[in-house]
Amino acid sequence: MTAEAVSQPRQEPRHPNKVTGRRLLITSLILLALMVLWGLFIGGSLRADEVISGSMIPTLQIGDRLIVRECTDCTPDRGQIVVIEAPDGNGPNMVKRVAAVPGDMVVVVNHMAYINRKPSRSELESRGAWPPSYVKGYMLGEDEYFVLGDNGDNSWDSIYFGPIKGETIVGKPLLRYAPLTRFGSV
């Protein structure tokens, strides 16, 4: 044996399976968070939904997957994104933005919505060549909402099917979890 080998302190071999306190704490917190999320999904408070149309482009893209907080008595604010039941009752749920709330006046002229006399979108956005006589007006009653898609030209929304009742609001998106490149709050 050489003098160099004798003078170096002996190191304990590392055990890859050795659990440190910090590692145990991180693992426990992750498991706890997953259990809470699983419980919320099973209990019905959270659900996963997929965006299947381009009506909310650029805010939401086709294929975006969302965590939605379900609500039975939603009272969304103007500008908030919501998930609603299909107005005809036969299609999949839809994602829209609340443009008008109870008490608001909505006038639709040539498929352009005016909320309390202000355009809901840019005047430059067209809704197709509709005759100038196409006019509808709504004074939203209690528990009525007017919802629009962000992609004006390609959105089937309240301009076409009218106001919705609050009971048809399924929930409010909380988080986009897929694709991972677009992960974040909605």
Side-chain angles (χ1 to χ4, degrees), residues 31-155:
L31 285 174
L32 179 64
L34 289 173
M35 286 178 9
V36 167
L37 279 175
W38 181 256
L40 289 172
F41 275 107
I42 296 299
S45 316
L46 294 179
R47 62 183 282 154
D49 269 329
E50 182 178 359
V51 177
I52 59 170
S53 80
S55 71
M56 287 297 291
I57 291 174
T59 308
L60 297 171
Q61 305 292 321
I62 297 171
D64 281 358
R65 295 183 182 266
L66 309 173
I67 302 279
V68 177
R69 183 179 58 85
E70 289 184 331
C71 53
T72 54
D73 189 22
C74 289
T75 53
D77 296 325
R78 192 179 291 108
Q80 194 166 33
I81 297 174
V82 294
V83 177
I84 64 170
E85 294 173 358
D88 61 6
N90 294 325
N93 290 341
M94 300 166 35
V95 182
K96 302 293 177 197
R97 187 178 301 277
V98 175
V101 296
D104 283 349
M105 180 179 65
V106 179
V107 176
V108 178
V109 180
N110 296 335
H111 289 258
M112 179 68 176
Y114 295 84
I115 314 296
N116 299 324
R117 298 186 176 154
K118 295 177 185 162
S120 61
R121 298 187 179 102
S122 164
E123 286 286 356
L124 299 176
E125 286 185 32
S126 69
R127 281 281 188 161
W130 294 89
S133 61
Y134 183 82
V135 177
K136 283 188 177 179
Y138 307 97
M139 186 63 171
L140 297 184
E142 188 175 318
D143 199 39
E144 285 188 319
Y145 298 88
F146 201 83
V147 295
L148 299 172
D150 288 357
N151 188 1
D153 285 337
N154 297 305
S155 179

Side-chain angles (χ1 to χ4, degrees), residues 14-35:
R14 296 190 89 199
H15 296 285
N17 295 333
K18 185 177 179 182
V19 178
T20 64
R22 183 172 152 197
R23 210 163 144 196
L24 180 63
L25 177 64
I26 290 170
T27 304
S28 298
L29 289 175
I30 290 171
L31 285 174
L32 179 64
L34 289 173
M35 286 178 9

